[in-house]
Amino acid sequence: MKHSPRAVRLMACGIAVIFIAAGSGPTVLADEAAGFGKAASGASANEVAEFKGKLKGFQRGVLQVTKEDGTDVMVQLPATAAGFTFVADAKIPFLTRGMLVRFSGTFAPNGAAAVPIDKVEIFQPINLQGIPGHSRDRFVPGVHPADKRAAKKPVGLGKYTIVGSLVGINGNGAIRVQAGKIPVVAPLAQDATFQIRFNNLNLAKEGDTVSVAGFYNPPDETRIRGEVITITTDRVYGEPSEVPQRRSRRTSKRASKKADAESPATSEPADPLEDSAKS
C-alpha cells in the first residue's frame, strides 16, 4: 500500500512521539539519582555537605543517618571502598591467625625493627578499582617504603609500612606477619594499640557515630552523595565481658569446692596467636 507524502510525515511524527514518551521513564530515574549530588542536567552539584550524626539504618549502597539537629538524611556510599571506613578499638583476643594487618615502623636493612610498633591496624580485602596507586599500598601485602624514591637496596634505617597476614604474637610481645613473600617479626610496644579499620558495614550497628563529607543538590539537603564517610563506635572488640557469671543459689558449697578442684590452675585460656607463633 502506498502512502501520500503527508501521511508519511504524520507517521514519522507519531513514531517520534512514541520514542519521546518511552524515554520519559529514564528521565524520571535521572531526576531521582540527581538527589545524590547531581543536577538533572548531569552536572555535579557544588554544595558541600559536612555533618555528624547517628546511624539509623542502611540498605544496599545507602545509609540512613540522623543528623545532630534531628534531621534524617539518606547518604549514598562513596564510589570507592576506600572512601568508607568503620573504625573501632580492639584487643589481642579479637585477633586470629590469617587476619590482614598493617603497621608502620623504622627498620634496618636486615629487616630488624629499630623501634617497637605502637599501632596495628586490622583490615579486610577491598576492590582496588578506582583507588590511586599511592593508596593501594595500604591494602596490598608487602613491605612498602615510605619514600618511593628510595633505592631498592636500602642503606641505613628506613621507614616502611608492613602489610600482610597475621601469623601470631609470641610470648615476648613480638608480632609476626607474612608480608607477601617476606616474613616480618617486629616487637610491640607495651602500650601498643589495635584498631579495626574495615571498609564495609560488617560491624556497624544502629546508633554508631557517622561523619559525612559529600555534596548535595539544592534545595534537597536530605539526599547526600558521600565522598568520605567514617563510622566510629565506643565498642571494644575482643574485650572480656565485664559481667561475671553468677552461681546458682542451689549450688552447694560441696559442689562448688569440687568444681574448683577439677578446674585448671588458671582460668585464662591459652592464647591461640601465641601458640601459632611458637609452632
Side-chain angles (χ1 to χ4, degrees), residues 184-225:
V184 177
V185 180
L188 292 172
Q190 290 186 352
D191 57 350
T193 60
F194 297 86
Q195 187 180 75
I196 298 169
R197 297 188 68 88
F198 285 0
N199 301 99
N200 54 52
L201 289 160
N202 289 349
L203 297 179
K205 292 185 178 181
E206 181 179 349
D208 289 345
T209 299
V210 184
S211 297
V212 177
F215 301 91
Y216 70 93
N217 180 37
D220 188 357
E221 300 183 20
T222 64
R223 295 169 69 85
I224 312 297
R225 176 168 57 86

Side-chain angles (χ1 to χ4, degrees), residues 96-128:
T96 59
R97 184 186 179 98
M99 276 186 169
L100 290 174
V101 297
R102 58 176 169 244
F103 53 85
S104 298
T106 302
F107 293 83
N110 62 359
V115 181
I117 305 302
D118 59 4
K119 181 179 179 180
V120 178
E121 295 181 348
I122 309 157
F123 69 100
Q124 291 182 332
I126 66 170
N127 184 355
L128 296 177

